[in-house]
Amino acid sequence: MRAPATDLPIVLQDVSYRVRDTAILDRISLSFVPGAPTVLIGPNGGGKTTLMRIAMGLVEPTGGQVSFGGRTGVPPTRRAIVLQRPVMLRRSVSGNLNYALAGAGVARADRAARAADLLGTVGLSGLEERAARRLSGGEQQRLALARALARDPQVLFLDEPTASLDPASTKAVEDVISGIAARGIKVVMSTHDLGEARRLAGEIVLIHRGRVLESGPAGEFFAGPRTQEARRFIGGELLV
Ligand SMILES: Nc1ncnc2c1ncn2[C@@H]1O[C@H](COP(=O)(O)OP(=O)(O)OP(=O)(O)O)[C@@H](O)[C@H]1O
Ligand SMILES: [Mg+2]
């Protein structure tokens, strides 16, 4: 029997994204490999979201190539993305999750059990009947994670999953992300919270003005950044 195809590694080779005369991403080469989360950090407008949309396969780069497990043009069935401000359907928590499970092709008879399992995973058991739009920001973020997991992804992209959450809600979301990573799902996420990057990252990618300034194992990055920009960024200076 043939081994099931895998989307990993995701390899970006010389990827550029230009809009008119502006290079939003400028010849980026990077790989996302199995293991602990890869965390994208860097100032606003650096290109983190654009990079994740391209690596997810939602947007075609204007230059360079993206391959998934050595193949190109692979549809995003084994990848999922949670955008920065996830939109909840005007339905209950269960309604939102069942919609995602149906979209993922889960048989109707299996949906209740899967939904219960996913709500347990993200710590929302008991809130099934709550209107999703009435959940707190942190709860909505966790419901968005459950919806993304409904697709049983191999790779999960998260765009600033804890932006504007308080410490307790941030911890709850980070715990869910750690649990997802521990199950062997590759997480690629962005954050403006360096503490969060230290807590979650296996690999760090520092992006500034459409270029990768530095990338590598998180321990090495924080212990001994190689570039002056990275040293300044870790030190809390503003990169402009
Ligand atoms: N389709 C587009 N057309 C024009 N400009 C774009 C387009 N997409 C992105 N940009 C610009 O590209 C730059 C990078 O945007 P991106 O959202 O990827 O950055 P980011 O690192 O995610 O920033 P933030 O930390 O603020 O979320 C920004 O200046 C943005 O305005
Ligand atoms: Mg962004």
Side-chain angles (χ1 to χ4, degrees), residues 37-238:
T38 297
V39 178
L40 313 178
I41 57 174
N44 284 134
K48 302 179 294 296
T49 298
T50 307
L51 182 65
M52 282 197 284
R53 285 173 175 272
I54 286 174
M56 170 74 187
L58 293 179
V59 175
E60 283 285 311
T62 56
Q65 281 195 344
V66 185
S67 63
F68 305 91
R71 299 160 298 145
T72 54
V74 177
T77 46
R78 311 209 59 195
R79 308 186 289 279
I81 189 164
V82 178
L83 299 171
Q84 200 180 338
R85 281 173 288 274
V87 178
M88 296 295 139
L89 299 177
R90 207 180 287 281
R91 299 182 188 184
S92 66
V93 167
S94 285
N96 270 268
L97 202 43
N98 282 328
Y99 184 83
L101 288 164
V106 174
R108 191 178 289 271
D110 298 334
R111 284 181 210 156
R114 280 291 305 284
D117 181 43
L118 287 168
L119 288 176
T121 300
V122 301
L124 290 179
S125 303
L127 294 183
E128 287 79 359
E129 300 314 317
R130 182 83 65 84
R133 292 187 179 185
R134 300 210 178 245
L135 295 173
S136 73
E139 289 164 344
Q140 288 197 19
Q141 192 57 243
R142 284 186 279 142
L143 178 54
L145 287 169
R147 289 193 312 197
L149 291 173
R151 300 176 58 177
D152 203 11
Q154 204 176 21
V155 186
L156 182 57
F157 293 94
L158 307 174
D159 199 1
E160 298 191 36
T162 63
S164 74
L165 299 184
D166 70 16
S169 303
T170 296
K171 169 136 186 11
V173 170
E174 286 185 7
D175 286 349
V176 172
I177 294 171
S178 298
I180 290 169
R183 282 163 48 182
I185 297 172
K186 175 66 188 185
V187 172
V188 178
M189 60 177 279
S190 64
T191 184
H192 282 282
D193 179 344
L194 283 176
E196 178 164 288
R198 284 178 195 267
R199 289 188 292 275
L200 295 178
E203 303 269 331
I204 290 280
V205 180
L206 173 60
I207 298 171
H208 183 35
R209 295 188 178 168
R211 303 194 129 201
V212 173
L213 287 183
E214 200 158 326
S215 69
E220 288 176 24
F221 175 84
F222 286 112
R226 293 186 299 274
T227 61
Q228 203 194 348
E229 287 97 334
R231 277 195 292 279
R232 287 172 47 212
F233 191 72
I234 294 171
E237 283 184 49
L238 300 172

Side-chain angles (χ1 to χ4, degrees), residues 9-42:
I10 298 177
V11 178
L12 283 72
Q13 240 177 337
D14 234 15
V15 161
S16 293
Y17 187 70
R18 299 183 156 272
V19 177
R20 288 176 294 278
D21 287 343
T22 312
I24 288 162
L25 296 177
D26 190 14
R27 303 200 8 225
I28 286 189
S29 294
L30 264 185
S31 299
F32 300 126
V33 301
T38 297
V39 178
L40 313 178
I41 57 174

